[in-house]
Amino acid sequence: MTPARTTRAQRLAMPLARHVVRDLAAEHGGCVRPVQLRRTDLHTGRTEQVLVPCGHTLAAVCPSCAERNKHLRATQCREGWHLDAEPAITEDEPSDEQRMWIERRAQTQKQRDQAHAAGADTTDLDELAADFDTEISRSGMRGNVLPARPERRHRSTRRRQDAPGLPRRAIAPRTIGRTYTAPDGTTYRPSMFLTFTCDSYGIVGQDGSPVNPVAYDYQRAARDAIHFAALFDRLIQNLRRFLGYDLQYFAVIEPQKRLAPHVHVAIRGTLSRTELRQVLAATYHQVWWPRTDTVRFDDARPPVWHDATGRYLDPASGEFLPAWDEALDAISAEDQPLHTARFGSRFDAKGVLAGTPDSARCIGYLTKYLTKQLGGCHQATTSAQADHADRLADALRYEPCSPTCANWLRYGVEPKNPREGMRPGRCTGKAHRREHLGYAGRRVLVSRKWSGKTLADHRTDRRAWLLETLGITEPDPARYTWMPVKPGDPDHMPPAQRLLHVVADRQRWHTALTEARRRAQDQPNPVLSATPSAA
Ligand SMILES: [Zn+2]
Ligand SMILES: [Zn+2]
């Protein structure tokens, strides 16, 4: 049957074939912007095109990869929360190759130090050492052979950020909380779900926007958001000192409706509300930065870059601006910190037992918004909310986000590591961007001994499960080389073509997985159906 003639409106209403492909790929859990790699089998010389998922964590960019990441985070959270044995973190024995790189790095260091002592130029040896450092990382070793240089500056004792109100216990190397035994002999090892918020900046209504915008303290809100990660670090340190063991956490940063960050934390072990209140009251983070009360250079007349010295100077007087370290040294013992970040006194705390519906609910809550940007979690629907978001963005525009922030120029201080072209109000730091609401840190903060595994380990677990389910043996990685395929290569597939491959591949996988599950169910001992959620 030939289709009748259609009107323009009818044609516009027809689904666009390319959109259907994208939606179908996403519906099947396939990546919508896969990366193309060329895999060469070194035994046979055969090449094959392999599409690797982009791995993006935001649903707006790739819904499937974002969803997979969220599931991995939920697995990681679940596996660590109620551990009843210390997670085994053992280091692999170094390989011969790894030993060789370390030995060569050591020789270079010695030569370099000797040259330096003799007053000779060490540029070449420094470069060689840097090359070896790269090889050391590439060969699969963690960390650096030399620790980062310690801070040159000394702070006065007044500026030490102790928490004097807290008893300090030595931190035992254990990471597991206490157990409780019920009269019937059952033992419980409860863990906790905690929520800490920022302080109040002014009364807000149901929609999160301030009742009196003029009185709302946007500057403090902006600064608290910028220093939220540091404040959270301090809280964990204080909790560890207070509890006397190496407390482990899985934390997620999220915005409240009033656009202030708050943090949901799963911790291993418990403490009472009274104890929590005590730790919170003693927890603060002081920011010892230069003052920003006076605008010394507005946008019309910013400091100018002096190429010969690599410094900024005052265009009127021709004098250099104080360098970052000089500006810090000028802060005296009588000065106040630029900012002191604290949590609000209100918090949520509840005990959660392993494997309960409650624990599943909390994990769902912890990972709920992970596929969205902070600023995208609460979309403004009223003009009051939109105005509130605008005012916060304004407050963040000229607030220095870090020692290297271009905004320091506005207050007459040269930022750390100055570069040409820095403009106040145009700092590229994440904290200033609307979608981050002042918080530039990572969304998920996991302590090292939480599950004893990295996200990559959890990903490998999931992959191994899939391969086992499908009855596929993992090919020997040494047998293949991988090369990215670039546009212009004869075998390069344009995005639309890659997506068609993704749809076809996912359909094949889905059929194979359903079949494998059915077979597993028919077997008397269905080992494989034990973790159905991993698919
Ligand atoms: Zn993707
Ligand atoms: Zn900045």
Side-chain angles (χ1 to χ4, degrees), residues 30-34 52-56 61-66 68:
C31 174
V32 300
R33 15 168 275 164
V52 180
C54 72
H56 212 281
V61 179
C62 181
S64 309
C65 288
R68 246 192 310 277

Coordinates of all heavy atoms in Angstrom, one line a residue, residues 30-34 52-56 61-66 68, ligand 1:
G30 N 22.2 0.6 26.5 CA 23.4 0.8 25.7 C 23.9 2.3 25.8 O 23.1 3.2 25.9
C31 N 25.2 2.5 25.7 CA 25.7 3.8 25.7 C 25.3 4.6 24.5 O 25.3 4.0 23.4 CB 27.3 3.7 25.8 SG 28.1 5.3 25.6
V32 N 24.9 5.8 24.6 CA 24.5 6.6 23.5 C 25.6 7.4 22.8 O 25.4 8.1 21.8 CB 23.3 7.6 23.8 CG1 22.1 6.7 24.3 CG2 23.7 8.6 24.8
R33 N 26.8 7.4 23.4 CA 27.9 8.1 22.7 C 29.2 7.2 22.9 O 30.2 7.6 23.5 CB 28.2 9.5 23.2 CG 27.5 9.9 24.5 CD 28.0 11.2 25.0 NE 29.2 11.0 25.8 CZ 30.0 11.9 26.2 NH1 29.8 13.2 25.8 NH2 31.1 11.7 26.9
P34 N 29.1 6.0 22.4 CA 30.2 5.1 22.6 C 31.5 5.5 21.9 O 31.5 6.3 20.9 CB 29.7 3.8 21.9 CG 28.7 4.2 20.9 CD 28.1 5.4 21.5
V52 N 33.2 1.0 23.1 CA 33.3 1.1 24.5 C 32.4 2.1 25.1 O 32.4 3.3 24.5 CB 34.8 1.4 24.9 CG1 35.0 1.4 26.4 CG2 35.7 0.3 24.3
P53 N 31.7 1.9 26.2 CA 30.8 2.9 26.7 C 31.6 4.1 27.2 O 32.7 4.0 27.6 CB 30.2 2.2 28.0 CG 30.4 0.7 27.8 CD 31.6 0.6 26.9
C54 N 30.9 5.3 27.1 CA 31.6 6.5 27.4 C 31.8 6.7 28.9 O 32.7 7.4 29.3 CB 30.7 7.7 26.9 SG 29.2 8.0 27.8
G55 N 31.0 6.0 29.7 CA 31.2 6.1 31.2 C 30.8 7.4 31.8 O 31.2 7.6 33.0
H56 N 30.0 8.2 31.2 CA 29.7 9.5 31.8 C 28.7 9.3 33.0 O 27.9 8.3 32.9 CB 29.0 10.4 30.8 CG 29.3 11.9 31.0 ND1 28.6 12.6 32.0 CD2 30.2 12.7 30.5 CE1 29.1 13.8 32.0 NE2 30.0 13.9 31.1
V61 N 23.8 13.5 29.7 CA 24.8 13.2 28.7 C 24.6 11.8 28.2 O 24.6 11.5 27.0 CB 26.3 13.4 29.2 CG1 27.3 13.1 28.2 CG2 26.4 14.8 29.8
C62 N 24.6 10.8 29.0 CA 24.4 9.4 28.6 C 23.6 8.7 29.7 O 24.1 8.3 30.7 CB 25.7 8.7 28.4 SG 25.5 7.0 27.9
P63 N 22.3 8.5 29.4 CA 21.4 7.9 30.5 C 21.9 6.5 30.9 O 21.8 6.2 32.1 CB 20.0 7.8 29.8 CG 20.2 8.2 28.4 CD 21.5 8.9 28.2
S64 N 22.3 5.7 30.0 CA 22.7 4.3 30.3 C 24.0 4.3 31.2 O 24.0 3.6 32.2 CB 22.9 3.5 29.1 OG 21.8 3.6 28.2
C65 N 25.0 5.0 30.8 CA 26.2 5.0 31.6 C 26.0 5.6 33.0 O 26.5 5.1 34.0 CB 27.3 5.7 30.8 SG 27.9 4.8 29.4
A66 N 25.2 6.7 33.0 CA 24.9 7.3 34.3 C 24.2 6.3 35.2 O 24.5 6.2 36.4 CB 24.1 8.5 34.1
R68 N 24.3 3.0 35.1 CA 25.2 1.9 35.5 C 26.1 2.4 36.6 O 26.4 1.7 37.5 CB 26.0 1.5 34.2 CG 25.8 0.1 33.8 CD 26.8 -0.4 32.8 NE 27.0 0.5 31.7 CZ 26.3 0.6 30.6 NH1 25.3 -0.2 30.4 NH2 26.6 1.5 29.6
Ligands
ZN1 ZN 27.7 6.3 27.7

